[in-house]
Amino acid sequence: MIFNRFKFSRDIGIDLGTANTLIHVSGKGVVLQEPSVVAMDLEEGVPLAVGKEAKLMLGRTPGNIRAVRPLRDGVIADFDAAEQMIKTFIQKCNEGKGIVAPRIVIGIPSGVTSVERRAVREAGLAGAREVHLIDEPVAAAIGASLPVTEPIGTMIVDIGGGTTEVAVLSLGGTVLSESVRIAGDEINESIALYLKKVHNLVVGERTAEDIKIKIGSAFPDDDFDKTTLEVRGLHLLSGLPRSVTLTSGEIREAMADTLSKIVEAVKRTLERTPPELAADIVDRGIMLAGGGSFGERH
C-alpha cells in the first residue's frame, strides 16, 4: 500500500503550507507549528529570522531586510528562502543536536506540476537525506483517521492558505481530486478589498487575517452576526489613521464570493463521483481539514 512507504522510525512529516508549516516527528507528535515566513538580510544573504519572529516583521522592515513568504498558492515562489526555512525548522526540531539528517515526507497540493514537485523535493533535501512527497488530501485523511484503505468512499476538503484540495478517496487511493488556488489568502484579500471599498480603510495582510479569524463566518448565525470588532487602518480620504467597527455579518458578506468558489469546486467533484462512492459520502458526510476550515465559523 502507498502508506507503508511513509512509516519511518523517528522520521519527520512536514505540512509545508502557504501560511503555516507544521512538523510531526514520529513518536513525539507535532513538535513545530510556525508561520511560513522568512526575514532575509539582503546584504549578507542570510536569514535573520524564520517563523513567528519573521511574521512580526512583515510590512515593518527597513531597506536592507526583506520579510517574505516563500510559498504562494501552495507552491514554492522563492526557492532560496524556502530552503532556508525548511532547514531552520528541521534544526529546531532536532533541538540543536548533531544527529544524522532525517528522512522526511512533505505534503503538497495534488494539482502541482512536475517542476513544482521537483522544487519541493530539492528544497527538502537541504535538511534531510531522503525526501518523499504525498498529496495533501491523502495526508489530511490519514491524519483525521478516515478509513482511506477500506472500500468506502470518503470526501475530504482541505482548505489551506494558498490552495483548496477536494478529493474522493477509496481503497488507499485518490478516485477524484481537484485543486483550486483559492483559499485563506484570497479570503484575506477579499476582506481587505471590502474595507477599502466600503469604509475607505486600508489594512495590511496580517490585520485582514486577524479579522477573518476573530469574526469571520461562512454561514448566517443571528447571534454571532452581531459580534463586533474594532479595526484600525489608514483612511484613504484623509490619509490619517482611523478606526472602524465591523460586524461579523459584514465580513461574511466580504468573504461570500471567495467561499462560493470553494463550494463550486466541491460541487464539481461530487458531480463526477461514481454513484456508489457518492452514496457513501451522503451517509458519511464531508471532512473539512486545513487551517481555513477552522479559521472561519461554519
Side-chain angles (χ1 to χ4, degrees):
M1 301 296 291
I2 182 174
F3 313 107
N4 292 336
R5 300 184 326 193
F6 303 115
K7 294 180 180 178
F8 303 129
S9 175
R10 305 295 291 175
D11 289 321
I12 292 175
I14 300 179
D15 178 6
L16 191 62
T18 303
N20 297 286
T21 294
L22 286 78
I23 294 184
H24 179 283
V25 176
S26 59
K28 293 184 178 180
V30 176
V31 297
L32 182 141
Q33 181 174 352
E34 296 205 23
S36 301
V37 185
V38 180
M40 299 289 292
D41 185 326
L42 299 180
E43 296 176 354
E44 300 293 332
V46 296
L48 292 176
V50 176
K52 295 175 183 176
E53 294 177 0
K55 186 175 182 180
L56 295 174
M57 300 181 186
L58 281 173
R60 296 170 175 164
T61 57
N64 64 317
I65 299 174
R66 184 169 62 107
V68 297
R69 295 173 63 182
L71 288 96
R72 286 288 175 185
D73 296 331
V75 297
I76 292 176
D78 187 326
F79 181 82
D80 291 336
E83 191 176 58
Q84 293 285 359
M85 182 181 74
I86 293 172
K87 190 174 181 179
T88 302
F89 283 160
I90 291 176
Q91 288 173 347
K92 282 186 180 182
C93 294
N94 290 339
E95 299 175 348
K97 299 175 183 176
I99 64 172
V100 177
R103 291 179 294 182
I104 64 176
V105 179
I106 302 179
I108 58 172
S110 58
V112 300
T113 65
S114 59
V115 173
E116 291 165 341
R117 284 177 178 267
R118 193 181 309 119
V120 173
R121 190 186 301 275
E122 290 177 0
L125 286 172
R129 71 178 187 273
E130 197 174 312
V131 177
H132 298 265
L133 305 180
I134 182 173
D135 288 346
E136 287 177 350
V138 177
I142 295 172
S145 300
L146 298 178
V148 290
T149 60
E150 298 178 16
I152 299 173
T154 300
M155 174 173 267
I156 186 158
V157 180
D158 185 354
I159 307 172
T163 59
T164 295
E165 306 283 325
V166 185
V168 176
L169 310 174
S170 180
L171 286 172
T174 302
V175 180
L176 292 167
S177 68
E178 181 169 348
S179 178
V180 292
R181 298 191 175 185
I182 298 170
D185 285 349
E186 282 68 26
I187 294 173
N188 297 344
E189 290 172 7
S190 65
I191 291 173
L193 183 61
Y194 175 86
L195 292 178
K196 187 181 291 186
K197 286 183 176 180
V198 177
H199 295 282
N200 293 313
L201 192 75
V202 179
V203 298
E205 184 179 333
R206 284 186 57 203
T207 300
E209 185 179 21
D210 288 341
I211 294 170
K212 176 186 71 175
I213 293 171
K214 291 176 180 177
I215 61 171
S217 63
F219 195 77
D221 184 321
D222 291 339
D223 293 329
F224 187 70
D225 283 354
K226 299 174 184 177
T227 304
T228 60
L229 179 69
E230 186 177 1
V231 177
R232 297 174 180 85
L234 186 67
H235 191 237
L236 277 175
L237 301 182
S238 66
L240 298 173
R242 180 179 173 183
S243 298
V244 298
T245 300
L246 304 173
T247 66
S248 177
E250 278 188 279
I251 301 306
R252 188 181 68 252
E253 179 185 341
M255 295 161 50
D257 286 344
T258 305
L259 291 174
S260 66
K261 293 175 183 176
I262 295 175
V263 173
E264 287 301 319
V266 176
K267 287 182 178 179
R268 286 194 299 270
T269 304
L270 282 171
E271 288 171 356
R272 296 185 290 125
T273 303
E276 294 295 336
L277 296 180
D280 291 339
I281 294 169
V282 171
D283 291 336
R284 299 175 53 80
I286 299 172
M287 172 65 73
L288 293 177
S293 65
F294 60 79
E296 297 82 47
R297 286 167 57 95
H298 297 274

